[in-house]
Amino acid sequence: MSGHSKWHNIQGRKNAQDAKRGKIFQKISRDLYQAAKAGDPDPANNPQLRLVMDKARAANMPKDNVQRAIDKASGVGGAKFEEITYEGYGPGGTAIMVAALTDNKNRTAAAVRSAFTHHGGSLGAAGSVSYMFDRKGYIVILRDGLDADEDTVLMDALDAGADDMKTSDDQFEIFSDPSSLTAVRDALQQKYNLDTAEVRMFPENTTEVPEDKVSQYQGLIDELEANDDVSDVYEAATLPEGVE
């Protein structure tokens, strides 16, 4: 019996790791698509695409997955993909934005609406919650192995055109106007290895999820993130203290 239990424990951990890896690949695929769509699908002529491809290699993402994401952007195979944003409210009135990349709007809209409905939320109209979020350029520089202190990185970021920087033990988070992201990224890439460089939505304020709604809320986020068409979920919410 102990061997049987051990096998199930190992299998459970493997399934969890596979799910996490799948979400990482999904996010990288979206970033590859956007980088190739916004610029040249040839990485030799597209610094942003090279950055995301480096991230794909670091995550051990299969080359076929990488090429498939780039092919989507260039229309190879005939499929046309669109970027769509959905807005809604989770349990307890928490604001949620869902970014999707899809070749079938009806399928994706139905799946997103179903997720909200199943978990006590509701899908809203365009503009219903987007005003609660700020759109910003977002760059991350990891501190591990970095030979530069906070003041140096901050001055370099400001000189590059960034607006602000947040420092933690693990990384420097640099914020800019979305229109300045490319210039800030290109300047910082001359000195640093960037882990992330993208436009992202940030909530102006957050609402705490009621304790009796936490399970519903987490179920909603999990279902949205498990959808292959969903590339990002932005939340204007915090969980009660002590809840992970």
Short mmCIF file of all heavy atoms in Angstrom, two decimals, residues 4 33 42 67 93 115 158 194 198:
data_model
loop_
_atom_site.label_atom_id
_atom_site.label_comp_id
_atom_site.label_asym_id
_atom_site.label_seq_id
_atom_site.Cartn_x
_atom_site.Cartn_y
_atom_site.Cartn_z
N HIS A 4 1.98 2.02 -3.45
CA HIS A 4 0.86 2.55 -4.23
C HIS A 4 0.65 4.03 -3.89
O HIS A 4 0.49 4.86 -4.78
CB HIS A 4 -0.41 1.75 -3.91
CG HIS A 4 -1.62 2.23 -4.64
ND1 HIS A 4 -1.81 2.00 -5.99
CD2 HIS A 4 -2.69 2.94 -4.22
CE1 HIS A 4 -2.96 2.54 -6.37
NE2 HIS A 4 -3.52 3.12 -5.31
N TYR A 33 3.79 35.37 -30.24
CA TYR A 33 2.83 35.83 -31.25
C TYR A 33 2.81 37.35 -31.32
O TYR A 33 2.89 37.94 -32.40
CB TYR A 33 1.43 35.29 -30.92
CG TYR A 33 0.34 35.88 -31.80
CD1 TYR A 33 -0.02 35.25 -32.99
CD2 TYR A 33 -0.32 37.04 -31.44
CE1 TYR A 33 -1.01 35.79 -33.81
CE2 TYR A 33 -1.30 37.59 -32.25
CZ TYR A 33 -1.65 36.96 -33.42
OH TYR A 33 -2.63 37.50 -34.22
N ASP A 42 11.15 37.53 -38.36
CA ASP A 42 12.54 37.06 -38.35
C ASP A 42 13.22 37.62 -37.10
O ASP A 42 13.39 38.84 -36.97
CB ASP A 42 13.27 37.56 -39.60
CG ASP A 42 14.71 37.07 -39.66
OD1 ASP A 42 15.17 36.43 -38.68
OD2 ASP A 42 15.37 37.32 -40.68
N GLN A 67 7.96 27.77 -33.02
CA GLN A 67 7.71 28.07 -34.43
C GLN A 67 6.22 28.20 -34.72
O GLN A 67 5.80 29.04 -35.52
CB GLN A 67 8.32 26.98 -35.31
CG GLN A 67 8.35 27.34 -36.78
CD GLN A 67 9.13 28.62 -37.05
OE1 GLN A 67 10.26 28.77 -36.60
NE2 GLN A 67 8.52 29.57 -37.77
N GLY A 93 -17.66 40.84 -6.23
CA GLY A 93 -17.55 42.08 -6.99
C GLY A 93 -16.15 42.46 -7.40
O GLY A 93 -15.89 43.61 -7.74
N ALA A 115 -17.05 30.21 -17.48
CA ALA A 115 -16.19 30.21 -16.29
C ALA A 115 -16.70 31.20 -15.25
O ALA A 115 -16.79 30.88 -14.06
CB ALA A 115 -14.75 30.55 -16.69
N LEU A 158 15.78 55.42 -15.60
CA LEU A 158 15.27 56.78 -15.80
C LEU A 158 15.89 57.42 -17.05
O LEU A 158 15.20 58.10 -17.82
CB LEU A 158 15.55 57.63 -14.57
CG LEU A 158 14.80 57.22 -13.29
CD1 LEU A 158 15.25 58.07 -12.11
CD2 LEU A 158 13.28 57.34 -13.48
N LEU A 194 17.26 41.19 -19.81
CA LEU A 194 15.89 41.42 -19.38
C LEU A 194 15.14 40.11 -19.29
O LEU A 194 15.19 39.28 -20.20
CB LEU A 194 15.18 42.37 -20.35
CG LEU A 194 15.90 43.68 -20.71
CD1 LEU A 194 15.01 44.54 -21.58
CD2 LEU A 194 16.33 44.41 -19.45
N GLU A 198 7.13 43.86 -21.58
CA GLU A 198 5.80 43.76 -22.17
C GLU A 198 4.91 44.87 -21.65
O GLU A 198 5.25 45.56 -20.68
CB GLU A 198 5.18 42.40 -21.82
CG GLU A 198 4.97 42.21 -20.32
CD GLU A 198 4.48 40.81 -19.96
OE1 GLU A 198 4.63 39.90 -20.80
OE2 GLU A 198 3.96 40.64 -18.85
#
